[in-house]
Structures are given as C-alpha cells and as structure tokens.
Amino acid sequence: MNDDRDNALLSLVDVVKIYGTHQVLNHINLDVPQHHVITLIGASGSGKSTLLRCINGLEDIQGGEVRYAGEVISGEGVDRVAICRKIGMVFQSFNLFPHMTVLKNCMLAPVRAQLFTRGEAEHRARELLQRVGLAEKADAYPDQLSGGQQQRVAIARALVMEPEVLLLDEVTSALDPELVGEVLDLIRSLADRGMTMVLTTHEMAFAQQISDTICFMHKGIILEKGRPEDIFERPREAATQAFVRRFVQAGAH
C-alpha cells in the first residue's frame, strides 16, 4: 500500500466531506498512478462528482488530505491557481463563455494565470483545437456549435493549461445520444496518449474499455475497486452486483 502511494501522482488519504449534517464522503482512500485512467461508477448521490470537486479544490474537505506528487494540495493556504495548472477539470455543463469565441475561451485561463503570453496561448489553443477536430471553429461562438462540439472545446480549454491530471465529470450526460460518441472518442485518444485521468460516467461499456481501475462508490465510500473485468464480471459486493446487473439488463433491451 505504501509503495502504491509513494508511486502515485495523485492520492486521497482519509478524505471526508460533510454538507451540514450529511457526510458525503466517508474516509476515501485512492491512489492514482501516472498515465492511469480511473473511473468512478455508482448511483447518483454516491459521492462521485463531489470527490472530483474535492480533488480539484472546488470543495473544501473536512478531514484527510489530497496529495499531488507527494505534496498536500488541500486545506488552508493552498494556491488554487497552481492546483488548476496541475489538475484540469471538465464538467457536464460546458461552462463556455457565450460572449467569447472558441479561441478566446481556450486562451483566457492561461493568459490570466500568466502561464503563457497571449501569443503562446493562442498558438497552444489553436494546436489543441486542431487535435480535437475543431480548428475551423476557432472564430465561432459557443451557440454556433453542437453540444458535442462545445464539450470538445471544453476539453481543449482544460488541456491548454497543460495539466498532469484531467478530471472529467459526466462529460456526456448533457449530450444528445448521437453526439456522445465523438466526445468518448476524444477521451479515448487522450488515454492512448498517456493522460492521467479520473472520470465519472454512466457509459459502462466505455468505462470497461478505457479504465485501468474501476471504483464503485456507494453511500460515500469506495465499496469496491478493481480491474474492469473484476468489477463487471466478478463483483464481490451485493450493491456492486445489483448496480452492474441493472446496466446489463438495460443493455439487453
């Protein structure tokens, strides 16, 4: 266990999150090795999205630590901008600024954070828009794009900051079914390039294909963790078995 933690790029150690009287995360421990893809699955309300927000510092935690490359990045006095440079996040709602072009949406954060000059940020943004297949949309506005295109822009925007870890929170849930594939293909290409990712998804077939590790969350804990084939074909816990069974049955109809 200690060897895993020593080798992890990102670690959660006994992380606790409480809203009022409700404990949303109950002593979460998770190690994320570099170049690995870890997928969080589970019912709505199990704590998946909250866990991602705690990793990125968008939510304060009430216990435990979040560590990046061995350094604590949770708690008082942490540089949130520095965290965002290392750990990017993409949300289910695209969160693009409607009054800015696609290119300016992608350039804004690195220029404000003084990570790049404006010229460097533009070059980087155009490169990434090319990679996500939207170079020709650089001067378009978000409302001129489909939902799938907007989500690909949101991913490009996160990558402009050159993060080491990318968090993806249900990034296809707001999309029409016919647009889901293009976003999943992009995420798959990032995994193939060795991007370290932690993601939540209801796309179980995709989770099986892309993940090094699956974590099944249930009532604020990681109830079961393992390789995709272990979780989907040989789940040990009754709650995991019931969850997987529902998706198998849904896929059969």
Side-chain angles (χ1 to χ4, degrees):
M1 182 69 174
N2 288 336
D3 287 343
D4 289 344
R5 183 148 294 156
D6 290 342
N7 294 327
L9 180 61
L10 181 70
S11 291
L12 285 76
V13 185
D14 284 328
V15 167
V16 172
K17 176 63 187 177
I18 300 171
Y19 290 123
T21 58
H22 179 47
Q23 188 159 325
V24 183
L25 299 177
N26 187 358
H27 296 279
I28 297 288
N29 288 279
L30 180 63
D31 296 315
V32 183
Q34 192 170 22
H35 308 310
H36 275 230
V37 177
I38 292 185
T39 301
L40 310 177
I41 64 172
S44 296
S46 59
K48 306 184 302 296
S49 294
T50 300
L51 181 56
L52 292 188
R53 294 174 67 85
C54 289
I55 291 173
N56 206 39
L58 295 172
E59 296 278 359
D60 293 326
I61 59 176
Q62 281 69 56
E65 294 178 342
V66 180
R67 300 175 185 169
Y68 173 85
E71 294 185 18
V72 177
I73 60 169
S74 55
E76 296 292 328
V78 172
D79 184 346
R80 302 294 186 198
V81 173
I83 293 173
C84 289
R85 289 180 184 177
K86 298 169 183 173
I87 305 174
M89 187 159 180
V90 183
F91 303 86
Q92 53 186 303
S93 54
F94 321 125
N95 291 352
L96 299 175
F97 293 107
H99 63 288
M100 290 185 176
T101 64
V102 164
L103 181 64
K104 288 184 177 178
N105 264 282
C106 291
M107 290 173 56
L108 181 64
V111 171
R112 280 195 174 174
Q114 298 181 333
L115 186 60
F116 300 124
T117 65
R118 185 170 296 277
E120 290 168 341
E122 179 175 348
H123 178 73
R124 176 78 176 149
R126 289 189 184 277
E127 278 187 338
L128 284 161
L129 289 172
Q130 178 76 38
R131 191 197 299 182
V132 303
L134 292 172
E136 77 284 359
K137 300 293 186 181
D139 295 323
Y141 288 85
D143 65 1
Q144 296 173 311
L145 306 181
S146 70
Q149 289 172 327
Q150 289 186 57
Q151 193 59 287
R152 283 189 281 153
V153 171
I155 292 171
R157 179 180 59 181
L159 293 174
V160 169
M161 297 290 284
E162 299 186 334
E164 291 291 324
V165 180
L166 190 61
L167 310 177
L168 300 131
D169 186 18
E170 298 287 2
V171 294
T172 60
S173 65
L175 300 179
D176 293 331
E178 64 271 19
L179 301 177
V180 169
E182 65 185 78
V183 176
L184 296 184
D185 285 344
L186 173 57
I187 297 169
R188 193 177 286 110
S189 73
L190 294 175
D192 290 343
R193 287 170 172 258
M195 188 78 202
T196 306
M197 290 187 278
V198 184
L199 59 104
T200 70
T201 185
H202 287 298
E203 303 285 341
M204 292 299 109
F206 177 70
Q208 286 179 273
Q209 295 164 9
I210 197 174
S211 307
D212 296 292
T213 301
I214 301 280
C215 297
F216 174 68
M217 293 194 66
H218 182 67
K219 297 182 179 178
I221 67 170
I222 296 176
L223 183 65
E224 191 164 353
K225 179 174 68 172
R227 297 174 303 173
E229 57 267 32
D230 294 330
I231 298 300
F232 287 104
E233 297 172 21
R234 298 177 291 275
R236 299 186 311 272
E237 302 289 338
T240 317
Q241 293 167 3
F243 180 83
V244 170
R245 193 180 307 121
R246 285 198 299 274
F247 278 97
V248 170
Q249 290 169 347
H253 293 300

